[in-house]
Amino acid sequence: MTTPAVTEPPSIKTLATATLAVLKRKTVLPLLTLSLVLSACSQASIPAPAAVDPDVGSSTHGSGEAHTHDLHPALPGLPLTELPTNARLSPTTLTVPQGTRLSAQALPSNAQTNKVALKVLVLSSGPTDFGIGAARAMLDQAGVPFDVLDATTTPLTPETLIASDGVGKYQGVILTDSALTFQSSPGFYSSALDTTEWATLFQYEKAYQVRQLALYGAPNTVPEDYGLRLVPGAEFATGNLNVTAAGKVAFKDLTGNAVPLRYAYTYGTRTLAVAGVTTQPLLTDDAGNVLAATSTLDGRERLILTSAQNPYLLHTQVLGYGLVQWLTKGVHLGEHRRFLQVDIDDWFLNGDEFDPATGGLRAQSFRLSASDALSARDQQRALDGAYNVVNHFEFAVMFNGGGATPSSLSTCNPQLYGSLIKDALSSVSRCMAYDFDWVNHTRNHLRMDVMDLPTSTTAIAGNFSIGTQLGLQISRKSLVTGEHSGLGYMDPTDDGTNNDGGFSQPKQDLGLGRSNPNLITAAVNSGVHYLASNRSVASEWDASCPTCGVFHPMDPSILLIPLYPNSIHYHVTTPEEATASYNKLYAPGGVVPYWDHAFNYTELLDVDSTQGVGHLFEGTAWPTYMHQTNLRQYAPGKSLAGDWVKAVVEKYARYSTLPLNTLRWDDLGAYVERHTLEEKAKAANAYTAIWNRTTSTVRLNRVGSAVPVTLTGFWGGTFYGAYEAWPLNVSGAVDVYVRTR
């Protein structure tokens, strides 16, 4: 099967032509160069071209009309012919510029080598640096604060690394490649650090016991020796990363299963006995060649990877958590957690159903049956029991009370009561009031981009009222509007006269400033604090903090929680319908032809679950939204939604042991709110965190009102995997005990 491209791919990176400000006498050293191009895809983190499918209409259960949507297929990533599958390190010599000194300057007289700030330094080789995205992603996902130094423009000096009071500024150092290589002139490659700067860095790492992570390298002896040597002819871009016994110790979250590596140029190496160097392989290829290793030299601890890294690649996603924990010794600000959140929209409504024979819609609409709903409950229970990584999974059900019959008898056996059952779905929903997280999806799913206050209030408060009548356990502070409407992603000509029908012009991202103030007012008046937004719309998520929610500019008491779509379309109920709809978009002859053949259901699940797996590894709490049509029990105990979740979890559990948390929407909102405040406080340098390794304490110091802080490594904290963490509210100076792992 052809491998897909990333839905939101990074651009192909090429080496820029740049010149060091001052190149002293040049010393030509052995082979070490930089990747010209990075992969934009991987086996298990490359989403298929996902359809963004906003809802465009609705009806109540009694109207007989189908609740409908509109499919807006996202353009695929890079054309398959342009994927950099053969990217490699350029076979040329590397020059390390001669510095002004023969060695590093002496440490300052007040050096406090037992103390370091809880922050990481990322050393970059310039604006076209291939590894900076991976470094940023893994640190962002863990909540670790960091600085980036572009070594092609900014000198690295002792003052860069050591504060005026002698405290180390950084607890760890990441090299985006092991020699910080860039093309200083056509065909000529140079290290962005000169010999003095390398010596300064190495001295700091030794004195302050700071670990160094090289995200990519073809290890030899430049600028230092890792005890590894290239194996000629052992390069590859498709293979496996096999975890050694030492690798399982370093990457405490991994299962030990081989991790597929796809579309990332990789160098096979072998260990070589080098005086003063101790090398420990962590990952190997199928031939036993070393692909990652820790090593020590002169008291310094280092870890090097010989594969190109990219945040969209599976191996980077799988290894990222363990790399950060190794680098920080398990003590750092922030925490990394993973979530399994799946929303089911449009419960109680009729919906369109795709007809594979015609490529259009069936004349008869679809609405969940009582047996479909009961099966959904049983499917989530089965998933929860089948995988150790799943922690109390349940669907979040976005309900539209306008399609319900609140007076219907509460029972999970409606067939026993005959004519006493007014609506079987309403009856079993009442019976399963505590089996799902029930979330307000508005009364009738009207589009709320241009809607008056009374109608908005009825849509929101009225649905809460119906949910109460049904006896549902509702997340009272949460709301998902139909189409995620009302937030400025809209038809700019919409005048609000057709809120239950299609829109005239394609939707545009007009920004949150064009949100409907009546929606915001009605939501606040109804007790809503957490409002779903569309992760596919630029203004509705925070690119500067990918794990943060967005406080709405019209009323910051409303926090936006971004949601992901997937490619199980809103109007499909069976595998046949799902594949036919997907192929209508992306198979040869489709709307946006992308694949070289039409997919079967197994291929569709395999490809689209890769996107879900990638989202799990990101550490974001964002739900993926699906639809009531996707819960049809097309075979005993089987539904499209259940198949998709199982496929995602099965892939995840193959590689990681970290638990997947599922939170009710109100709890999810509260978690994201605190996390967002915490990340913003870190970004604003609102407090300091200094680790005293002699006393095994971290001093947190905040001048002003309390701010939320989470500390991984907190002694006595709550364990997540092998590492413990604890949330605090800090004002003034607080000393807490930590321990390394």
Side-chain angles (χ1 to χ4, degrees):
M1 186 183 76
T2 307
T3 305
V6 183
T7 297
E8 298 174 341
S11 301
I12 296 179
K13 312 279 186 177
T14 57
L15 291 172
T17 300
T19 304
L20 284 174
V22 177
L23 282 178
K24 300 291 186 180
R25 181 173 58 85
K26 301 176 178 63
T27 304
V28 178
L29 297 171
L31 168 67
L32 182 60
T33 56
L34 190 60
S35 172
L36 295 177
V37 187
L38 271 191
S39 305
C41 65
S42 74
Q43 178 191 19
S45 59
I46 309 173
V52 180
D53 47 354
D55 312 338
V56 298
S58 67
S59 69
T60 63
H61 164 51
S63 72
E65 280 185 51
H67 171 69
T68 182
H69 300 229
D70 190 19
L71 288 177
H72 294 288
L75 291 176
L78 297 173
L80 296 176
T81 56
E82 294 182 15
L83 291 177
T85 58
N86 295 316
R88 65 189 65 199
L89 300 176
S90 180
T92 186
T93 55
L94 170 75
T95 295
V96 177
Q98 181 66 49
T100 58
R101 302 172 57 90
L102 296 178
S103 62
Q105 293 177 266
L107 293 173
S109 59
N110 66 342
Q112 301 187 63
T113 57
N114 62 323
K115 294 181 179 181
V116 291
L118 293 188
K119 182 178 278 192
V120 165
L121 175 64
V122 179
L123 291 175
S124 165
S125 58
T128 57
D129 184 344
F130 73 90
I132 192 65
R136 288 182 181 277
M138 64 178 61
L139 294 171
D140 281 338
Q141 290 161 12
V144 175
F146 61 93
D147 291 331
V148 176
L149 185 146
D150 180 349
T152 65
T153 60
T154 304
L156 188 145
T157 66
E159 292 73 26
T160 304
L161 303 171
I162 303 171
S164 59
D165 61 359
V167 173
K169 292 183 178 181
Y170 302 104
Q171 66 177 125
V173 175
I174 294 180
L175 308 176
T176 52
D177 86 89
S178 60
L180 295 178
T181 316
F182 77 110
Q183 186 171 289
S184 54
S185 62
F188 183 82
Y189 295 88
S190 175
S191 170
L193 295 182
D194 65 25
T195 55
T196 298
E197 291 172 309
W198 281 114
T200 298
L201 177 65
F202 296 158
Q203 179 193 58
Y204 173 76
E205 292 173 348
K206 177 182 179 180
Y208 284 81
Q209 303 172 54
V210 168
R211 286 176 170 175
Q212 173 185 291
L213 168 63
L215 286 178
Y216 188 26
N220 206 296
T221 60
V222 182
E224 58 176 332
D225 201 326
Y226 286 87
L228 297 172
R229 294 296 182 270
L230 297 175
V231 177
E235 303 87 354
F236 65 90
T238 297
N240 293 314
L241 302 177
N242 300 295
V243 185
T244 68
K248 292 178 183 179
V249 175
F251 302 111
K252 294 179 172 56
D253 58 309
L254 298 189
T255 62
N257 290 328
V259 179
L261 184 146
R262 303 291 185 267
Y263 300 95
Y265 201 82
T266 301
Y267 285 91
T269 70
R270 294 285 182 174
T271 57
L272 178 71
V274 176
V277 176
T278 302
T279 303
Q280 183 66 63
L282 305 179
L283 302 171
T284 63
D285 64 14
D286 292 338
N289 296 314
V290 179
L291 308 180
T294 54
S295 66
T296 59
L297 172 63
D298 194 25
R300 295 169 48 241
E301 297 179 87
R302 306 161 300 168
L303 193 157
I304 187 170
L305 304 163
T306 68
S307 301
Q309 306 300 318
N310 183 283
Y312 292 94
L313 297 175
L314 172 65
H315 69 281
T316 299
Q317 294 171 340
V318 171
L319 298 177
Y321 173 83
L323 290 172
V324 170
Q325 300 306 328
W326 178 87
L327 179 67
T328 63
K329 303 179 183 178
V331 176
H332 60 81
L333 293 174
E335 64 173 344
H336 180 116
R337 291 184 180 266
R338 294 174 183 164
F339 298 85
L340 181 62
Q341 307 283 152
V342 182
D343 295 355
I344 304 295
D345 287 3
D346 312 339
W347 195 278
F348 294 127
L349 293 182
N350 295 322
D352 291 335
E353 184 176 353
F354 185 76
D355 185 349
T358 65
L361 301 178
R362 298 186 190 276
Q364 181 66 40
S365 60
F366 175 83
R367 183 175 185 257
L368 279 178
S369 68
S371 60
D372 292 332
L374 291 167
S375 179
R377 175 200 62 187
D378 296 341
Q379 289 172 48
Q380 71 182 20
R381 289 177 178 174
L383 185 80
D384 199 56
Y387 297 94
N388 292 332
V389 295
V390 176
N391 186 16
H392 303 298
F393 172 72
E394 65 179 13
F395 291 113
V397 171
M398 282 47 197
F399 72 96
N400 303 97
T405 305
S407 60
S408 194
L409 182 70
S410 174
T411 176
C412 278
N413 295 288
Q415 67 276 8
L416 297 180
Y417 295 90
S419 60
L420 296 177
I421 300 299
K422 300 178 181 179
D423 174 31
L425 179 59
S426 295
S427 291
V428 298
S429 296
R430 294 188 66 189
C431 172
M432 298 188 295
Y434 290 88
D435 288 305
F436 303 114
D437 176 25
W438 298 89
V439 180
N440 192 339
H441 196 33
T442 72
R443 185 182 186 278
N444 290 326
H445 204 288
L446 300 181
R447 193 166 59 253
M448 303 185 75
D449 293 322
V450 184
M451 181 180 284
D452 60 45
L453 182 58
T455 308
S456 299
T457 299
T458 298
I460 300 170
N463 204 49
F464 275 129
S465 178
I466 294 171
T468 299
Q469 293 175 55
L470 288 165
L472 306 179
Q473 179 185 234
I474 304 171
S475 279
R476 292 280 173 179
K477 298 178 180 179
S478 304
L479 172 67
V480 181
T481 60
E483 304 178 37
H484 302 137
S485 58
L487 296 175
Y489 179 63
M490 58 182 289
D491 171 3
T493 67
D494 193 348
D495 62 4
T497 60
N498 192 29
N499 290 329
D500 60 348
F503 42 86
S504 300
Q505 301 292 328
K507 290 189 176 186
Q508 300 177 28
D509 184 5
L510 304 180
L512 293 177
R514 281 292 298 273
S515 298
N516 184 354
N518 295 321
L519 161 65
I520 303 301
T521 299
V524 171
N525 290 345
S526 300
V528 170
H529 293 295
Y530 310 120
L531 180 59
S533 63
N534 191 336
R535 174 59 176 74
S536 300
V537 177
S539 67
E540 295 183 18
W541 66 286
D542 186 350
S544 70
C545 182
T547 60
C548 292
V550 177
F551 291 103
H552 200 287
M554 289 183 177
D555 190 327
S557 70
I558 293 288
L559 180 69
L560 302 184
I561 308 293
L563 272 61
Y564 284 113
N566 69 9
S567 288
I568 307 299
H569 298 154
Y570 84 94
H571 54 13
V572 297
T573 70
T574 67
E576 180 188 16
E577 293 173 4
T579 51
S581 178
Y582 186 86
N583 288 331
K584 183 180 178 182
L585 293 178
Y586 302 117
V591 177
V592 280
Y594 187 63
W595 304 113
D596 60 2
H597 67 286
F599 276 16
N600 60 36
Y601 184 56
T602 300
E603 290 174 310
L604 169 56
L605 270 185
D606 180 55
V607 165
D608 199 63
S609 62
T610 62
Q611 177 172 296
V613 169
H615 294 161
L616 297 186
F617 281 112
E618 287 173 1
T620 58
W622 315 143
T624 294
Y625 67 94
M626 302 183 75
H627 298 85
Q628 60 98 18
T629 42
N630 307 146
L631 281 180
R632 181 179 196 165
Q633 187 179 204
Y634 70 81
K638 304 277 285 182
S639 69
L640 299 179
D643 291 349
W644 185 87
V645 178
K646 183 179 179 181
V648 169
V649 172
E650 196 167 86
K651 285 184 178 180
Y652 175 84
R654 195 177 302 159
Y655 310 116
S656 180
T657 62
L658 290 182
L660 297 173
N661 299 303
T662 301
L663 302 180
R664 298 185 68 245
W665 252 81
D666 281 358
D667 297 329
L668 178 73
Y671 172 86
V672 173
E673 183 172 14
R674 177 186 169 87
H675 176 79
T676 301
L677 292 172
E678 180 176 339
E679 293 304 302
K680 297 302 181 182
K682 276 188 285 192
N685 295 313
Y687 61 93
T688 58
I690 304 299
W691 182 9
N692 186 328
R693 294 196 176 111
T694 300
T695 61
S696 297
T697 60
V698 169
R699 168 158 289 190
L700 301 165
N701 191 18
R702 158 70 174 170
V703 177
S705 59
V707 294
V709 177
T710 300
L711 181 64
T712 293
F714 187 103
W715 190 300
T718 301
F719 275 94
Y720 182 68
Y723 299 92
E724 46 197 340
W726 194 256
L728 308 96
N729 292 313
V730 175
S731 179
V734 179
D735 290 319
V736 295
Y737 284 98
V738 294
R739 54 181 166 184
T740 59
R741 292 280 176 179

